[in-house]
Amino acid sequence: MLNAYDILETIRMIQDECLDIRTITMGISLLDCIDSDIDKACNKVYEKIMRKAENLVKTGEQIEKEYGIPIINKRISVTPIAMVSAACTQKEPVKFALALQKAADQCGVNFIGGYSALVQKGFSAGDIELINSIPEALSRTNNICSSVNVGSTRTGINMDAVALMGKIVKQSAEITADRDCIGPAKLVVFCNAVEDNPFMAGAFHGVGEPDCAINVGVSGPGVVRSAVSKYPDADISQIADVIKKTAFKITRMGQLVGARASQMLNVPFGIVDLSLAPTPAVGDSVAYILEELGLETCGTHGTTAALALLNDAVKKGGVMASSHIGGLSGAFIPVSEDAGMIAAAEAGVLQLDKLEAMTAVCSVGLDMIAVPGDVEASTISAIIADEAAIGMVNNKTTAVRVIPAIGKKEGDVLEFGGLLGSGPVMKVHKESSAKFINRGGRLPAPMHSVKN
């Protein structure tokens, strides 16, 4: 039973500690839209999205008013478009991106994710064409997000795809250089991508998902930081309990909103993704939580251990609060979206190598990191390969979203504004990885992948 204290506590979390629902994301299967005629297929895609999601934004706004809980984004994820376009005789996948953008405009959603391909073991029909079209698709649309899965614990890493994605990321930055290189900010390269991820830019609707589902992504780094600050002398075990209890409360709110949206839209409720996803707002920072735990600055020695504690406690608290925890669930460390990460990077304490180490214990990976504009495509591929290897060996989802800042060098600042924030251009190693990347082939799966 809720009591007056619980209600007042939640109100305080919303008003003072940046607690919000990061996203309500409707997943929509497009498998029944497949057609050999690309124009017919695009029309089917548009019509199905409109039929399923026409009331999504209105429903989110009604829930905001009903419960007084801010819902920052209303989003859609769809079946990876490479699968839908594979049957088309015309190989012009950008037409699908334009159809998705038209639907986004009509529905009023913030983003549509799913301009995606799954190539962890090789390229099937439609994959190469879609991947090569990503720079154009992202430059010609505003609300479309793209992702490519290049590896998994079960299959290993498709190094040909890794080499190609380095070039695609660089091209995407170059073609949108006049817009602060926004293209690669909407592109994620995954290892072990999950099918029910509501967070952009990596969201897509997996083939094992129902025809339509509602997934909720919650946030709340500011709430966790505030809770930890009340126990300055607690030991690590006690702090873990504090974080677990706080995560429980946040997740219950997400469960409530997801169940209500499911009921109002008459579609199945999928999952709550309990991810501490920061924003540029003051105090809404994962880095500040780590510093509240006792680090002078995020990125110093001890950061990886502190992040492991945070991530584990968040997951344990969330699992107790809902039977349908999914997605990525844990702590995100996107540099440009986190005020504390930005400050640590600008101070030179938080560097790319340390961020890579942190990704071994957090939710995703190297996220929203600006790198010098003259970076080699092979170096981007090598960064992707390193991160995919961490995911593959540790049987976890990892990802890379780096932005080559065309015309900028280390120490400059790349400005996106809004939820994407801004970030310092970070140093990358200048020594070449090209020969390794250009070998191609497939990096074998680890021994523990064979576990049937």
Side-chain angles (χ1 to χ4, degrees):
M1 290 289 291
L2 288 174
N3 57 36
Y5 175 80
D6 293 325
I7 295 170
L8 290 171
E9 183 182 41
T10 303
I11 291 171
R12 188 187 70 251
M13 288 177 178
I14 293 168
Q15 291 182 340
D16 301 332
E17 298 167 3
C18 302
L19 177 61
D20 56 51
I21 298 294
R22 177 83 161 200
T23 177
I24 291 179
T25 301
M26 175 179 279
I28 302 173
S29 173
L30 301 181
L31 293 176
D32 55 349
C33 299
I34 292 173
D35 197 294
S36 60
D37 185 308
I38 192 168
D39 295 318
K40 289 181 180 178
C42 287
N43 285 335
K44 289 180 182 179
V45 165
Y46 172 76
E47 290 169 1
K48 182 165 187 182
I49 292 173
M50 291 305 303
R51 188 169 65 251
K52 295 289 187 180
E54 61 179 342
N55 293 319
L56 177 61
V57 171
K58 182 172 70 175
T59 298
E61 291 171 347
Q62 288 176 348
I63 293 172
E64 285 183 287
K65 293 177 182 176
E66 185 174 334
Y67 294 123
I69 298 169
I71 300 173
I72 305 304
N73 278 189
K74 293 82 176 176
R75 303 170 174 172
I76 296 169
S77 63
V78 298
T79 304
I81 292 297
M83 296 181 180
V84 183
S85 67
C88 298
T89 53
Q90 291 175 272
K91 301 302 181 184
E92 301 176 66
V94 172
K95 286 188 173 184
F96 284 99
L98 298 177
L100 294 175
Q101 182 61 56
K102 181 181 175 183
D105 291 339
Q106 289 296 111
C107 292
V109 294
N110 301 95
F111 293 106
I112 292 185
Y115 199 77
S116 307
L118 310 178
V119 296
Q120 56 267 28
K121 203 171 182 180
F123 302 100
S124 60
D127 289 334
I128 288 286
E129 289 82 5
L130 182 128
I131 291 172
N132 283 327
S133 76
I134 287 173
E136 181 185 356
L138 296 182
S139 72
R140 294 180 63 183
T141 59
N142 296 318
N143 304 85
I144 306 308
C145 292
S146 180
S147 60
V148 177
N149 191 66
V150 299
S152 75
T153 299
R154 195 72 176 174
T155 65
I157 300 171
N158 180 350
M159 292 300 291
D160 294 317
V162 168
L164 177 57
M165 287 312 300
K167 298 173 184 175
I168 294 299
V169 170
K170 185 71 180 283
Q171 289 171 17
S172 187
E174 291 170 343
I175 203 172
T176 57
D178 60 333
R179 286 163 282 168
D180 295 313
C181 306
I182 190 65
K186 299 184 290 179
L187 171 61
V188 175
V189 185
F190 275 118
C191 179
N192 286 322
V194 297
E195 295 191 330
D196 58 3
N197 171 21
F199 287 110
M200 301 298 167
F204 63 86
H205 191 66
V207 295
E209 296 289 299
D211 186 61
C212 187
I214 282 290
N215 299 317
V216 172
V218 298
S219 190
V223 177
V224 175
R225 180 195 181 195
S226 177
V228 171
S229 70
K230 295 179 175 65
Y231 299 88
D233 300 318
D235 66 24
I236 294 297
S237 298
Q238 291 168 330
I239 286 295
D241 286 339
V242 169
I243 296 172
K244 283 189 289 185
K245 290 173 183 176
T246 306
F248 178 90
K249 295 172 184 176
I250 297 171
T251 307
R252 292 297 288 176
M253 184 184 75
Q255 174 85 13
L256 173 69
V257 169
R260 182 65 175 136
S262 171
Q263 179 188 46
M264 293 173 70
L265 291 164
N266 194 31
V267 299
F269 174 48
I271 56 98
V272 177
D273 185 324
L274 176 64
S275 290
L276 296 183
T279 72
V282 175
D284 201 29
S285 163
V286 169
Y288 289 161
I289 300 174
L290 303 181
E291 291 169 7
E292 197 67 58
L293 289 172
L295 304 176
E296 183 176 350
T297 304
C298 177
T300 191
H301 304 297
T303 298
T304 306
L307 183 59
L309 160 69
L310 173 63
N311 210 52
D312 178 69
V314 165
K315 289 178 184 290
K316 287 174 177 174
V319 168
M320 286 296 292
S322 173
S323 297
H324 299 286
I325 295 294
L328 302 168
S329 287
F332 284 9
I333 53 171
V335 174
S336 80
E337 299 174 23
D338 187 308
M341 297 286 178
I342 293 169
E346 289 176 337
V349 180
L350 184 62
Q351 299 180 354
L352 197 56
D353 290 340
K354 185 59 177 180
L355 279 164
E356 182 183 305
M358 292 164 67
T359 64
V361 299
C362 76
S363 280
V364 195
L366 297 170
D367 196 17
M368 288 303 295
I369 295 171
V371 295
D374 61 357
V375 65
E376 295 290 335
S378 59
T379 299
I380 299 172
S381 294
I383 292 170
I384 293 169
D386 282 343
E387 198 56 38
I390 289 173
M392 177 187 71
V393 171
N394 291 288
N395 197 24
K396 70 184 293 292
T397 303
T398 52
V400 172
R401 184 165 47 153
V402 296
I403 302 98
I406 305 302
K408 295 182 182 293
K409 60 184 185 301
E410 179 189 339
D412 291 342
V413 176
L414 192 60
E415 296 277 356
F416 295 110
L419 199 62
L420 296 178
S422 65
V425 178
M426 300 185 71
K427 178 183 177 181
V428 298
H429 294 295
K430 296 189 181 302
E431 293 77 14
S432 177
S433 311
K435 184 176 180 179
F436 172 68
I437 294 300
N438 291 335
R439 287 180 180 272
R442 183 150 55 94
L443 201 157
M447 188 64 197
H448 61 258
S449 69
V450 187
K451 58 183 180 182
N452 279 348

